[in-house]
Amino acid sequence: PCALVISVPLSFFGGIGGASRNGILVKGSNYLESLAKTEIIVFDKTGTLTKGVFKVQKIHSEKIKPEELLKLAAYAESYSNHPISLSLKEAYKKDIDIEKISQVEEISGHGVSAAVENIKVLAGNDMPMEKFKIPYNKETSEGTLVHIAADGEYAGYILIADKIKDDAFEAVSDLRKHNIKDIVMLTGDSESVAINTARELGIDRVYAGLLPADKVEKVEELISQKSEKATLMFVGDGINDAPVLARADVGVAMGALGSDAAIEAADVVIMTDEPSKIAKAIEIAKNTIKIAYQNIIFAISVKVIILVLSTLGLASLWAAVFADVGVTFIAVLNAMRALRLNN
């Protein structure tokens, strides 16, 4: 029937158009359908639920001056574009002479080692300190601690804090209204920071201290826990999130500040970087599916009724015209609601 052929695809086009009006780019109608079936949502933390704008809050030095500690950290992290590294360089406020840096080696997901003016500097989280058996300050704080060791001796730490996005609370609250079974947060940050953020937002489960490969494994594990026809959504923004975005049933990237790799790997892109748009995307998807089913049921029902009446000799030519052209016109008008209902 014409009504089915025209109105069902048009419903999905309308849903995609309605989503784009709300700053949500959906890359295909199949992803819109997957959005409507979301059961588990997994969030990255930095840049997704938090602003990803780190600021140095405290410098705790041991045996050396605070200015020297900040210099060693800024120099060691100078080759990285990670938000934490950028915050250290911003706090240092001086030009970095790259000729004074050598033997730079990244410790994936944990920190960096480098020679700064012939001083062997190790900067990162707890793991590098433990790996090289360097006694360090195990203070817990509501922020990220960057520990620094110079020539194998602990030199101190720098406290860096990130802020939760203004609408992150609204995002988690709105998702509860859409019968989401589980809301999970994955992060490479320390457990104390992750737990504090999750507690503030009301997130069900949190896994901290994860490398990019660990996140993929954790998503694989969560996928095995969902219902057969349901989907798992992962929301991230960084280049490290690209493998997880590609593996999830529905990958959602933050588009305004997100990396090109994350946007390329994602199925849905939130152009405004607002996590609250995720609940809106699910609402749009469910409305679109609802309208598509309305059209299917309406078109088939009218066709069947007219066929039965025709068999009994009770249907006129005009009834047949209505069953074909009229129903198609009504179904198209109904499909166009997908554009308007979602604003």
Side-chain angles (χ1 to χ4, degrees):
C2 297
L4 289 178
V5 174
I6 293 175
S7 65
V8 174
L10 197 60
S11 299
F12 283 96
F13 293 155
I16 291 171
S20 65
R21 286 186 175 186
N22 284 274
I24 305 163
L25 173 63
V26 182
K27 295 184 179 180
S29 57
N30 52 328
Y31 302 124
L32 205 62
E33 190 172 3
S34 296
L35 275 171
K37 298 176 182 177
T38 302
E39 184 178 84
I40 299 175
I41 295 183
V42 183
F43 284 101
D44 171 52
K45 184 180 81 71
T46 305
T48 303
L49 291 173
T50 63
K51 294 181 178 180
V53 181
F54 290 88
K55 297 286 184 183
V56 172
Q57 304 291 331
K58 178 182 176 183
I59 300 175
H60 174 82
S61 60
E62 298 182 9
K63 299 181 181 179
I64 64 174
K65 293 180 180 180
E67 311 89 69
E68 184 66 18
L69 183 72
L70 180 59
K71 177 184 176 181
L72 292 177
Y75 268 72
E77 297 274 5
S78 62
Y79 285 96
S80 174
N81 287 320
H82 191 279
I84 290 176
S85 304
L86 295 175
S87 69
L88 290 170
K89 288 181 277 189
E90 183 182 349
Y92 182 55
K93 295 179 181 178
K94 296 179 183 178
D95 293 333
I96 293 176
D97 186 355
I98 59 173
E99 293 183 358
K100 296 180 179 179
I101 309 166
S102 61
Q103 301 174 34
V104 179
E105 183 181 348
E106 185 178 355
I107 305 169
S108 182
H110 296 293
V112 66
S113 66
V116 180
E117 296 180 330
N118 297 320
I119 299 172
K120 188 65 176 179
V121 178
L122 186 65
N125 55 22
D126 298 357
M127 184 271 182
M129 301 297 128
E130 293 175 356
K131 180 180 178 181
F132 294 98
K133 297 179 180 179
I134 299 172
Y136 65 98
N137 191 317
K138 296 186 179 181
E139 176 180 324
T140 56
S141 180
E142 292 188 9
T144 300
L145 292 180
V146 178
H147 298 285
I148 297 99
D151 288 334
E153 291 189 11
Y154 188 65
Y157 68 79
I158 298 174
L159 173 65
I160 298 171
D162 190 10
K163 289 186 177 181
I164 294 174
K165 287 184 178 179
D166 298 334
D167 70 332
F169 304 94
E170 179 188 347
V172 175
S173 176
D174 288 349
L175 288 171
R176 300 287 182 195
K177 301 173 186 177
H178 290 286
N179 300 318
I180 302 300
K181 175 185 172 183
D182 208 359
I183 300 177
V184 184
M185 186 175 76
L186 307 182
T187 179
D189 277 354
S190 65
E191 190 171 355
S192 60
V193 174
I195 289 173
N196 284 331
T197 303
R199 187 182 295 119
E200 280 189 60
L201 295 175
I203 289 173
D204 302 316
R205 286 189 281 169
V206 58
Y207 299 94
L210 301 177
L211 296 173
D214 298 329
K215 290 183 180 181
V216 175
E217 289 180 13
K218 189 59 65 176
V219 165
E220 293 272 8
E221 180 185 323
L222 292 168
I223 286 174
S224 67
Q225 298 173 11
K226 66 180 179 62
S227 305
E228 185 180 350
K229 293 184 179 180
T231 59
L232 178 142
M233 176 196 295
F234 179 81
V235 189
D237 74 310
I239 189 169
N240 290 337
D241 296 324
V244 203
L245 287 164
R247 177 61 190 92
D249 297 320
V250 184
V252 180
M254 294 292 161
L257 298 175
S259 72
D260 291 343
I263 293 170
E264 182 69 26
D267 308 310
V268 180
V269 181
I270 308 295
M271 301 307 298
T272 58
D273 272 353
E274 298 173 88
S276 58
K277 294 287 187 181
I278 295 163
K280 189 67 176 177
I282 293 174
E283 180 186 346
I284 289 170
K286 287 184 175 180
N287 278 340
T288 301
I289 299 298
K290 183 179 177 181
I291 289 171
Y293 275 117
Q294 286 174 352
N295 284 338
I296 291 169
I297 294 168
F298 177 65
I300 292 176
S301 297
V302 173
K303 290 284 185 183
V304 170
I305 290 169
I306 298 301
L307 282 171
V308 171
L309 291 176
S310 298
T311 304
L312 299 174
L314 300 175
S316 65
L317 177 61
W318 289 111
V321 170
F322 171 76
D324 187 50
V325 180
V327 170
T328 300
F329 183 69
I330 293 171
V332 168
L333 290 177
N334 189 44
M336 291 174 65
R337 290 172 53 233
L339 278 170
R340 300 193 302 272
L341 285 174
N342 306 313
N343 293 319

